[in-house]
Amino acid sequence: MRQEQDYLTMLYARLDELRRQAGERLAVVLDAPAGGTLQNRSERDSASTMYTDRVAEFGALEHGLCFGRLDLDSGQRTYIGRVGLYAAGDGHEQLLMDWRAPAARSFYLATAADPLGVRRRRHIRTRQREVIGLDDEVLDLEAARGGDTGGITGEAALLAALDARRTGTMRDIVETIQAEQDEIIRSGLGGVMVVQGGPGTGKTAVALHRAAYLLYTHREQLSRHGVLIVGPNPTFLHYISQVLPTLAETGVLLRTPGDLFPGVSASGAESPATAELKGRAVMAEVIAAAIADREEVPHEPVELRYDREPLWLEPSAVEEARDLARGSGKLHNLAREIFAGAILGHLAHVAAERIGADPLGGDNLLTADDIAEITSELAADAEVEAALDWLWPDLTPERLLADLFTDEYRIEAATPGFTPAERALLSRKDGEAWTVADVALLDEAAEQLGSEEPEPERPQLAYDQEYAEGVIDIALGSQSFEFEDQELEFLLVTDVIDAGRLAERQEDTERLTAAERAAADRTWAFGHIIVDEAQELSPMMWRLLMRRSPNKSMTLAGDVAQTGDLAGASSWQDALGPFIEDRWRLSELTVSYRTPAEIMRLADAVLKRIDPGMSAPEPVRSTGIEPWTAAVEPADLAAVVAERAAAEAGEGLVGVLCPESLVGTLRAAVAEPAMVLSVRDAKGLEFDSVLLADPAGIIAESPRGYNDLYVALTRSTRRLGIVHPGPLPEVLAA
């Protein structure tokens, strides 16, 4: 152990040196005078970002910098860690190999039956900068005859990690990645991969480590386009927030489905039936109908005034203008200019006929310039502007949906195939907060309405353009071409971009990271998207995400047996087929690392109730602790749960899971640090001990009650207790 401690000390000394150098260089950059040319500012901002990221990256490696060693048959010894480290100087001596490097795969894949050139694998357990234990696996033929661990590598290190107490935030699994997990993590960037796995199989951890691997392997592409990680709720995002920083990756964008429309953070509540209805694919047609309904044709002539005289706008003229605008093929907001131009032209013609009529019956006395002036005056008239806003309003997504859902007549016009009960579900009061289901509808509305992006104010743009012209001049003066085929038609830099646009691009991108820019841009195309609990997404939410991923590079982690939302998926083909048909690949995780065998037996009975053809994942360990149950009177439920939670607190992190209707009551009774959560908010989380309060209430309250019960039963890593007022559900009593 002394040898490994000395090596670890040397690694941290090198890390401290690199962190100090990055800090010093960052200070120099920040102290540099502002201003200068565009190139000066760009280089300064890039350097600032780079050194800031390095300081943060090195600071996040205080724990677990090095966790393994490979002794190869060749005699070579390689240390494995969270990042790659090299000795100072020009020799490029590697001190530590990044776990994502191809040569590090044998640390996760080598077995006694197939050692991959590895003689010994050593797991190094550390606490901060101290080595606290070593676990060696000798991978030779004799060891292969010694027994079978069921494909588990690093068994001692894995069981130590599984038995460690939970802290309320997710830890990485970089030290204990198993072969089936490694294959998914290192799969190629392209296409849609579904990671299907039961409770505790590590699908969330695998998805996050896959993000770290892809950022390492495709650094340039993904740092430019960004990676989006979508989690089911804010509690979950907080839970996973430290995983990627500890893997030396920052800059990804973490969002819940309720945060995927810039400027809106969904906080409203609605019934499961309403959320399911809003999530149906047909809502895209409803939005299209709602937009069409706002392109009005009046039943009677509209009276306006010009030059103190009535000016009548006939329905036929409005209908003609509407047909012209719709026939342009442009989206509603973009076609408004065509509609308004036709209406103003018609009104100007009517006014001109009246003002410039020749009393002797000749041609109109007004010139083209006179008519243009009339048109301008009409366009500036408040009464005319109000009429245009009524007949063809310039709509925001928020205005469209607010007007739709607060007006029963608009709802009826947009939903010809709906029942009265379904229309009633869509109705809402004015001013109510947006819900998660509304977010997908807002995005759909924005897509169908279209908008002209406003030009941001850029006071430096003229100066930047001057510099960009110099860049282009240099580029033109230095171009040389050497091709075998001399008949190619060459493109000069000015054929692709001019100085103004080059300056704009630089101004747009030099100050914000890809994640920061993506957060504010609804139309951003991500390099890769990772979705956890993907089975919960509605068809409308899938439409939103598919728009964010035009290259269809996605990792979707979930378990259809745990689908709780009515709008969620019953199969992956049903969810993905409408968008990519069968062009997706399935990877399954079959081993449960979280849930011990004693609890999994109980959960398996619930799973069979959901679908007799499903099988629970195979637990990797047994704790010897059987689940317990306690029957209580309804009036005593809160007191008993609080007492039991206090007793369990000594065993680690405690989660109290209950029906949504009991969350407030139990939170008031249960002392911290125990967490009281609904099953929806507990998805993706894990606890040392779980108290399940009122399982019958969970079944009755949830639209997919047994699915939610299955989720609740499988959140514990060690201990499970069930407190039930009234009879225990039959599936648990059996």
Side-chain angles (χ1 to χ4, degrees), residues 94-302:
Q94 187 171 45
L95 305 177
L96 188 65
M97 179 178 290
D98 193 302
W99 67 275
R100 295 165 289 190
R105 287 203 74 181
S106 54
F107 184 79
Y108 302 108
L109 301 183
T111 63
D114 186 11
L116 301 176
V118 177
R119 181 173 57 82
R120 177 170 62 180
R121 172 174 48 222
R122 169 168 288 179
H123 290 265
I124 303 172
R125 288 184 281 119
T126 63
R127 182 184 298 117
Q128 299 300 323
R129 300 188 174 200
E130 179 185 358
V131 176
I132 61 173
L134 304 173
D135 298 306
D136 282 351
E137 296 174 274
V138 179
L139 306 178
D140 57 22
L141 291 178
E142 192 62 33
R145 298 188 189 100
D148 181 12
T149 61
I152 300 299
T153 59
E155 184 176 14
L158 174 63
L159 293 178
L162 295 177
D163 288 336
R165 288 192 176 187
R166 269 51 194 166
T167 63
T169 57
M170 188 178 186
R171 292 173 294 193
D172 63 66
I173 60 168
V174 66
E175 303 172 28
T176 57
I177 293 170
Q178 299 300 303
E180 68 172 4
Q181 298 172 326
D182 184 81
E183 185 172 346
I184 295 171
I185 289 169
R186 297 177 191 263
S187 181
L189 176 64
V192 175
M193 168 184 279
V194 173
V195 182
Q196 163 69 35
T201 54
K203 54 187 176 293
T204 299
V206 166
L208 293 174
H209 286 67
R210 176 161 165 74
Y213 170 77
L214 292 175
L215 285 163
Y216 171 85
T217 309
H218 305 278
R219 176 74 59 192
E220 182 177 355
Q221 177 180 349
L222 293 184
S223 63
R224 186 168 62 251
H225 295 288
V227 173
L228 171 66
I229 297 179
V230 180
N233 53 61
T235 304
F236 175 83
L237 291 187
H238 172 74
Y239 176 63
I240 68 169
S241 61
Q242 292 306 307
V243 173
L244 286 172
T246 63
L247 296 175
E249 293 298 346
T250 58
V252 299
L253 183 64
L254 278 70
R255 286 289 185 267
T256 69
D259 298 323
L260 289 175
F261 188 81
V264 170
S265 183
S267 59
E270 61 191 357
S271 70
T274 299
E276 186 275 331
L277 178 60
K278 289 181 177 179
R280 294 180 192 174
V282 72
M283 289 301 295
E285 300 175 19
V286 170
I287 289 173
I291 294 172
D293 185 53
R294 302 304 296 271
E295 298 165 0
E296 299 268 6
V297 173
H299 298 295
E300 302 290 339
V302 178

Side-chain angles (χ1 to χ4, degrees), residues 11 83 140 249 268 351 378 436 446 491 494 505 516 527 549 647 676:
L11 289 176
V83 294
D140 57 22
E249 293 298 346
L378 288 170
V436 173
L491 287 176
T494 48
R505 288 187 179 179
E516 290 169 332
S549 180
V676 178

